[in-house]
Amino acid sequence: MASSSCNCAKPQISHPLSSASSSTVHLGHSPTSISWNSRQPNRTHNISIIHSALHSPSVLHFPKQPYQNPLIPIEDDSVNVQVQPKTHRHPQWNLLQRAAAMALDMAESALTHIQHPLPKTADPHVQISGNFAPVPEQPVKQALPVTGTIPSCINGVYLRNGANPLFEPVAGHHFFDGDGMVHAVTIDNGNASYACRFTETQRFLQEKELGRPVFPKAIGELHGHSGIARLLLFYARGLFGLVDHKQGTGVANAGLVYFNNRLLAMSEDDLPYHLRISPSGDLETVGRYNFDDQLESTMIAHPKIDPFSKELFALSYDVIQKPYLKYFKFQPDGTKSPDVEIPLSMPTMMHDFAITENFVVIPNQQVLFKLQEMIFGGSPVIYDKNKKSSFGILSKNASDSKDIIWVESPDTFCFHLWNAWEEPESDEVVVIGSCMTPPDSIFNECDESLKSVLSEIRLNLKTGKSTRRPIISESEQVNLEAGMVNRNRLGRRTRYAYLAIAEPWPKVSGFAKIDLFTGEVKKYIYGDKKFGGEPFFLPRDDNCESAEDDGYIISFVHDENSWKSELQIVDAINLQLESSIKLPSRVPYGFHGTFIDAKSLINQA
């Protein structure tokens, strides 16, 4: 698959760069009066934007909320995030709209002042402090210092998505709520450049124009009666034409995929957004992308590309009305299949799924959306321990769901599934995923420590039974969360997985190469107060006959001592550091990434 392989052909990326010396490994809503469709310039003026220091610790100074034992400790408060006073702008509003805006702003202000103490999972002091704090956009910086030698077969762009709030939160904020920002490192024959840009979603453009946050935060704010009040305020603004919620409310901050010559940024609450990479290595947002009017619903942030057929497979879920879940696929030319409605009795969180050679594997787990819980003061995202977890096995080419096979897997919640494959000799589908307990601990505060256990789940299609076992021994057990297998073999039997060591949670101290057959674990630790994110495996080439681990691990790493960031490239066979690219600004901890080789970039749409 071109977008995720290390292609040794070297088409040129048109900018000169230079390299440096060697290194050793260190393990250690739609009114006619307003148009929101025009693309806004990247510069921002007179608006309350978070400006954070590039090389120093960032600490957000919000109105104090009591909390204890922050998940993300503030390591150094010597340099603060400077937040400019908010500027409320009224673009082309008539007198009625201005009066409505004033009244709704007063109601929001009153709501903010009576807000109860925030839990850790919604407290901005906790969720976006330290290197989880936002950074400003950076135009292309070229000729970056390189320590060691970048492997000659790596030519293209590594991109990683993340949550980066443009404005200071006015109420609760979860890390997942931030505006999408993509960080890009372009590599051209041993030379490197860096840029980071916001994905200019409809939400982002409207809030930027208004000079303040007005869209509800899906996780951090939508709790209890205050959450209901914020939703009512938001839709009231839409009713008066102050915002347009019909053009999408998503942040596009989670996944990235390169498909049909388009880079797409995604979050599961909206359509994807098409981004373009310039010849210099910069990024721009083309716009909200509906696959030429074929896609009319949201799409989850983890679509799958089959490495052999080159088809893209995806799901879409709805939290309000049936059908709660739909499956569809795209041919390599972008032609979409009809939707297949998956029968679910209640709206279920569907962050990820898996594919095999012939099937899609759909988790129906115990984390649900129950909006009515807000009436009783709770979160709309709940763990239902009385529900039975199961996996649905459906043919990739299905035109309806009548032949779906459901196999129960008790008490199983996997936020991510790393791979799946078929074993016809035993009538089983094998699923590899990280099983998380408590299942809703990312969204709701709890006393129990989070555990994420890499597991093998066997689903027998004949008996309808399942088994589950931890892959690594109890003595080696660590939280393994973000990561991947060799995507040239996705949906087929794989031996190795490369996963982030999410300790101390939620930071990532390194990554592990796990032998899925033997349970052997080899760890690469970044070192003293160095933390990273998702390890991205880049195969050396597209040859599926090559050794499965013949390639490189790429990851952003941040040093909390020096407050500087770098991109590390590690040999996946021996876990030795090959090279490090020093970055001109801080890269916050983020989510998922992809690699687009230079040859594929030439064909960008």
Side-chain angles (χ1 to χ4, degrees), residues 289-541:
Y289 186 64
N290 61 9
F291 291 85
D292 298 324
D293 298 323
Q294 297 181 98
L295 184 60
E296 298 177 350
S297 61
T298 63
M299 188 172 88
I300 67 169
H302 288 288
K304 310 297 179 186
I305 297 180
D306 188 290
F308 296 91
S309 72
K310 310 302 182 184
E311 296 168 301
L312 183 143
F313 302 87
L315 301 174
S316 172
Y317 67 80
D318 194 302
V319 304
I320 298 175
Q321 62 186 3
K322 290 185 176 182
Y324 294 126
L325 183 66
K326 295 182 290 188
Y327 157 73
F328 48 89
K329 68 175 184 175
F330 295 91
Q331 297 296 329
D333 64 359
T335 302
K336 180 182 174 295
S337 71
D339 291 335
V340 176
E341 297 181 4
I342 308 299
L344 295 181
S345 60
M346 56 191 74
T348 301
M349 173 168 284
M350 202 72 61
H351 183 71
D352 201 1
F353 73 113
I355 62 171
T356 68
E357 183 176 355
N358 296 293
F359 302 113
V360 288
V361 182
I362 303 170
N364 180 18
Q365 303 176 135
Q366 293 167 290
V367 177
L368 312 174
F369 296 98
K370 287 192 175 181
L371 303 185
Q372 61 267 33
E373 290 294 316
M374 297 171 66
I375 299 174
F376 305 106
S379 167
V381 182
I382 69 161
Y383 163 52
D384 184 353
K385 63 181 180 180
N386 295 317
K387 179 184 177 181
K388 294 182 179 180
S389 296
S390 61
F391 289 88
I393 313 301
L394 180 70
S395 168
K396 283 179 171 178
N397 298 319
S399 58
D400 56 51
S401 61
K402 64 182 177 62
D403 292 327
I404 192 169
I405 298 172
W406 292 104
V407 179
E408 287 188 7
S409 181
D411 301 316
T412 299
F413 176 77
C414 296
F415 200 56
H416 292 108
L417 301 176
W418 311 122
N419 199 19
W421 62 82
E422 302 158 30
E423 293 191 356
E425 63 277 8
S426 61
D427 300 312
E428 290 178 321
V429 169
V430 179
V431 181
I432 306 297
S434 291
C435 294
M436 185 178 291
T437 56
D440 62 341
S441 56
I442 293 177
F443 309 100
N444 298 311
E445 190 170 355
C446 59
D447 295 327
E448 186 180 347
S449 297
L450 181 145
K451 291 184 179 179
S452 186
V453 178
L454 181 64
S455 304
E456 178 192 87
I457 305 163
R458 289 183 167 265
L459 310 172
N460 194 296
L461 306 188
K462 284 286 183 69
T463 66
K465 304 292 185 181
S466 70
T467 60
R468 187 180 82 214
R469 68 172 183 88
I471 290 175
I472 63 178
S473 66
E474 186 174 352
S475 61
E476 293 273 5
Q477 201 62 245
V478 291
N479 285 331
L480 297 172
E481 230 327 290
M484 61 190 302
V485 299
N486 184 329
R487 294 194 179 181
N488 283 344
R489 304 189 183 196
L490 192 69
R492 281 72 178 171
R493 184 182 177 101
T494 47
R495 179 163 189 164
Y496 300 109
Y498 310 89
L499 304 175
I501 301 172
E503 295 186 0
W505 182 268
K507 293 183 180 179
V508 170
S509 56
F511 64 83
K513 176 184 180 181
I514 304 100
D515 188 317
L516 302 176
F517 300 165
T518 68
E520 180 185 14
V521 181
K522 295 180 180 179
K523 299 177 182 178
Y524 179 93
I525 305 301
Y526 297 126
D528 182 37
K529 298 200 76 173
K530 286 186 177 181
F531 301 95
E534 176 190 66
F536 185 89
F537 177 80
L538 183 65
R540 185 183 300 273
D541 56 47

Side-chain angles (χ1 to χ4, degrees), residues 13-231:
I13 298 172
S14 58
H15 60 282
L17 300 170
S18 63
S19 60
S21 57
S22 65
S23 175
T24 58
V25 63
H26 184 194
L27 299 177
H29 184 36
S30 53
T32 56
S33 60
I34 307 173
S35 173
W36 299 109
N37 295 322
S38 60
R39 187 178 182 273
Q40 303 295 317
N42 285 323
R43 295 186 303 276
T44 52
H45 301 287
N46 302 317
I47 52 181
S48 172
I49 297 175
I50 298 173
H51 292 289
S52 54
L54 301 185
H55 300 293
S56 303
S58 295
V59 181
L60 300 177
H61 282 204
F62 303 128
K64 291 185 177 180
Q65 297 286 349
Y67 66 92
Q68 296 177 348
N69 302 321
L71 292 171
I72 308 162
I74 297 172
E75 304 291 350
D76 187 336
D77 60 0
S78 59
V79 178
N80 300 331
V81 174
Q82 299 299 316
V83 182
Q84 298 177 356
K86 290 185 177 67
T87 299
H88 292 218
R89 294 203 293 271
H90 305 155
Q92 301 176 5
W93 287 352
N94 59 38
L95 289 176
L96 176 61
Q97 289 176 312
R98 289 173 182 267
M102 183 178 297
L104 293 169
D105 287 351
M106 290 175 64
E108 183 178 49
S109 179
L111 177 64
T112 301
H113 281 92
I114 64 172
Q115 186 171 326
H116 296 294
L118 294 168
K120 290 181 288 187
T121 51
D123 192 335
H125 287 88
V126 177
Q127 292 291 307
I128 46 174
S129 63
N131 194 44
F132 289 87
V135 294
E137 292 184 316
Q138 289 294 308
V140 178
K141 298 290 190 349
Q142 302 193 12
L144 301 181
V146 177
T147 302
T149 302
I150 298 175
S152 61
C153 68
I154 300 181
N155 283 278
V157 185
Y158 171 65
L159 308 113
R160 199 221 64 198
N161 213 343
N164 198 86
L166 176 66
F167 295 106
E168 171 187 350
V170 297
H173 182 94
H174 187 280
F175 179 48
F176 291 176
D177 290 329
D179 298 289
M181 175 177 275
V182 175
H183 301 259
V185 175
T186 300
I187 299 173
D188 178 20
N189 295 318
N191 304 310
S193 68
Y194 167 81
C196 67
R197 296 290 185 184
F198 282 104
T199 296
E200 296 182 341
T201 64
Q202 287 294 312
R203 176 187 185 125
F204 174 90
L205 292 175
Q206 292 187 54
E207 291 191 335
K208 183 178 177 182
E209 178 72 12
L210 292 170
R212 58 189 292 251
V214 293
F215 283 68
K217 304 291 180 68
I219 304 174
E221 290 184 350
L222 299 188
H223 288 256
H225 299 151
S226 65
I228 295 173
R230 290 198 173 276
L231 281 175

